Amino acid sequence: MRALLHVIVRDLRLALRRPADIVSTLFFFVIVASLFPLGVGPDPALLRQLAPGVLWVGALLATMLSLPRLFADDFRDGTLEQMALSPNPLGLAVLGKVVAHWLYSGLPLAVLAPVLGLQFDLSTGALGVLTFSILLGTPALSGIGAIGAGLTLGLRGGGVLLSLLVLPLYIPVLIFGAGAVDAVAGGLEPQTHLALLTALSVGGVAFAPWIAALALKLALE
Amino acid sequence: MLEADNLECTRGEQRLFQGLEFRLGAGELLFLKGENGAGKTSLLRMICGLLPPGAGEIRWQGENIHHLAGDYRAAFCYLGHANAIKEELTPLENLRCAAALAGTSLPESLAFDALAQVGLADRADLACRYLSQGQKRRVALARLVCDNRALWVLDEPFVALDARAVAWLRDLIGAHVAAGGLTVMTTHQPVDMPSVQTRELRLAA
């Protein structure tokens, strides 16, 4: 438990020492979400209909953007080797990195989402569910992303391959995330969608780090 | 006691060595010698369990290291080509992070003493990205000062060090071995360790 906490604190500290990475991810999200209202014109009904999908796709892509660096720096400077040689299982360290990744990428995206949602004329209820769904869904993105980042570690042009590997796996999260917001906008209860999102996140965070650890061990050989 | 039997290493299509064996008891130092590409680093990574041997096995206290897993990893300290230090963190934070990763905790005062020993007392709070190559290496080596694990596996530890640091490190390794520790290391520099039991293993390219 202490080892896990240590990795989380270490990764957060590193992320805060180079804030440009976090800021560029967030800016990307802001730009993508703002391009759509500018592109499709100021029709409130159309924007309201587009909003859940556009904001969720923006969140997926923004998460993708920060994934290649999840292990790359540790791999290059030899820290990943030391993690693999720690008496604690490597999966535990990866779990710590996944949690930290969510804290510096998923959490800020969720905070930003309602502000961007205003551009799409979403109702207060829909904005709340949007924030909540991104909050619940992004842990799955970090977990699944860790597998992709582990598999493509050390490959040339790994970034593109990473998106090809990971984006299809993000589809369920996108469907249930955007579905939850759609449901509220259509006057339905979002509980089912949110419950499924939570299940994906619990599964993603609980199992993905151990699979990613296997991929990392191969990359270290 | 570290033993290897009938080890074989293949990288890509190239077989680097086969039928390699050695025994290393407490209070002994093993020098790995060989030309570039002879497989010294690969052998060290095998000893750490990072690279599975193509054939043969490595035993620690009589048991295969792959069965011991975490128990074995708690018994040795590996220092590779890469320094495993973070440019964004200070030497002090780096040392304490490395200790936490190894499953121990290092009080700040001890970490500071270790840095003072490697001559970085006045740089303890400076981010590592401002340090020179040799100073970064010394931050990595400072880990050894507060390390009390039995086996040290060192890959070219003398690289980038000045004469004084080389002498310091030689004494540190000497003291570790004299106190009953084991060390496996590679080096291209001629370093003599008169006071300790030294073995040599030559890998033919």
Side-chain angles (χ1 to χ4, degrees):
Chain A
M1 197 61 212
R2 242 191 47 221
L4 177 67
L5 207 65
H6 163 260
V7 176
I8 298 175
V9 171
R10 188 198 77 122
D11 266 35
L12 282 181
R13 187 183 288 167
L14 285 173
L16 292 176
R17 297 261 165 107
R18 39 158 204 259
D21 284 10
I22 307 175
V23 175
S24 59
T25 309
L26 293 179
F27 249 101
F28 179 80
F29 185 41
V30 172
I31 299 283
V32 166
S34 309
L35 285 178
F36 276 84
L38 295 172
V40 299
D43 174 6
L46 182 62
L47 285 178
R48 266 197 299 275
Q49 212 179 353
L50 280 180
V54 167
L55 288 168
W56 256 99
V57 168
L60 291 191
L61 294 178
T63 308
M64 279 287 325
L65 210 58
S66 58
L67 279 179
R69 294 197 66 179
L70 186 57
F71 300 119
D73 290 343
D74 284 341
F75 183 57
R76 204 174 321 114
D77 66 23
T79 316
L80 199 63
E81 257 172 18
Q82 296 295 335
M83 284 180 173
L85 295 178
S86 154
N88 301 305
L90 180 58
L92 205 65
V94 179
L95 176 60
K97 291 183 79 69
V98 166
V99 174
H101 180 259
W102 179 74
L103 287 172
Y104 65 72
S105 119
L107 191 62
L109 289 178
V111 173
L112 215 55
V115 185
L116 296 175
L118 286 175
Q119 299 183 85
F120 292 85
D121 193 33
L122 284 179
S123 66
T124 321
L127 284 177
V129 172
L130 174 71
T131 311
F132 204 51
S133 69
I134 289 184
L135 209 56
L136 285 178
T138 36
L141 303 185
S142 299
I144 297 167
I147 301 179
L151 284 171
T152 54
L153 189 63
L155 298 184
R156 217 176 302 167
V160 181
L161 192 59
L162 176 62
S163 350
L164 293 180
L165 265 177
V166 164
L167 282 178
L169 297 174
Y170 280 176
I171 291 172
V173 183
L174 172 67
I175 291 174
F176 295 121
V181 189
D182 264 335
V184 185
L188 299 169
E189 291 291 322
Q191 268 89 340
T192 338
H193 291 99
L194 293 178
L196 284 165
L197 262 188
T198 315
L200 286 173
S201 281
V202 170
V205 173
F207 297 116
W210 306 94
I211 303 168
L214 289 178
L216 291 178
K217 280 186 187 149
L218 285 179
L220 283 173
E221 264 181 24
Chain B
M1 174 81 144
L2 184 73
E3 302 162 284
D5 265 332
N6 195 28
L7 279 187
E8 181 184 315
C9 174
T10 313
R11 298 299 272 167
E13 300 284 292
Q14 182 94 30
R15 178 181 288 154
L16 295 179
F17 53 77
Q18 61 178 329
L20 185 117
E21 42 184 46
F22 64 82
R23 308 243 167 307
L24 192 67
E28 288 184 328
L29 171 82
L30 179 66
F31 269 123
L32 295 183
K33 296 275 170 81
E35 293 163 22
N36 295 132
K40 299 185 295 296
T41 296
S42 296
L43 179 57
L44 289 184
R45 292 170 66 82
M46 263 181 203
I47 292 174
C48 295
L50 283 171
L51 186 69
E57 64 168 5
I58 300 172
R59 290 184 302 273
W60 172 248
Q61 317 291 24
E63 266 217 70
N64 190 317
I65 57 167
H66 286 280
H67 301 157
L68 287 170
D71 291 338
Y72 174 59
R73 293 200 296 269
F76 74 87
C77 175
Y78 172 64
L79 208 95
H81 274 285
N83 288 329
I85 60 172
K86 286 281 161 200
E87 305 251 297
E88 292 88 351
L89 301 181
T90 68
L92 211 54
E93 289 168 331
N94 265 308
L95 269 190
R96 300 189 70 196
C97 275
L101 214 52
T104 55
S105 73
L106 183 64
E108 196 168 307
S109 57
L110 282 182
F112 190 80
D113 288 347
L115 285 173
Q117 269 202 45
V118 296
L120 289 173
D122 53 342
R123 308 280 154 84
D125 287 318
L126 189 72
C128 282
R129 92 173 131 256
Y130 302 115
L131 299 182
S132 77
Q133 205 57 37
Q135 285 173 323
K136 282 179 194 164
R137 192 67 184 163
R138 282 195 260 163
V139 175
L141 288 167
R143 276 180 16 217
L144 294 173
V145 177
C146 9
D147 194 285
N148 48 18
R149 286 173 287 184
L151 172 62
W152 287 0
V153 181
L154 313 174
D155 197 351
E156 298 281 354
F158 296 107
V159 162
L161 294 181
D162 57 26
R164 221 180 63 200
V166 167
W168 165 81
L169 180 60
R170 203 184 51 209
D171 293 345
L172 185 72
I173 296 172
H176 171 70
V177 175
L182 295 79
T183 302
V184 182
M185 63 189 281
T186 64
T187 176
H188 285 295
Q189 281 158 284
V191 183
D192 51 45
M193 299 252 193
S195 58
V196 298
Q197 178 100 23
T198 314
R199 286 164 183 262
E200 202 171 295
L201 185 66
R202 185 164 287 279
L203 300 176

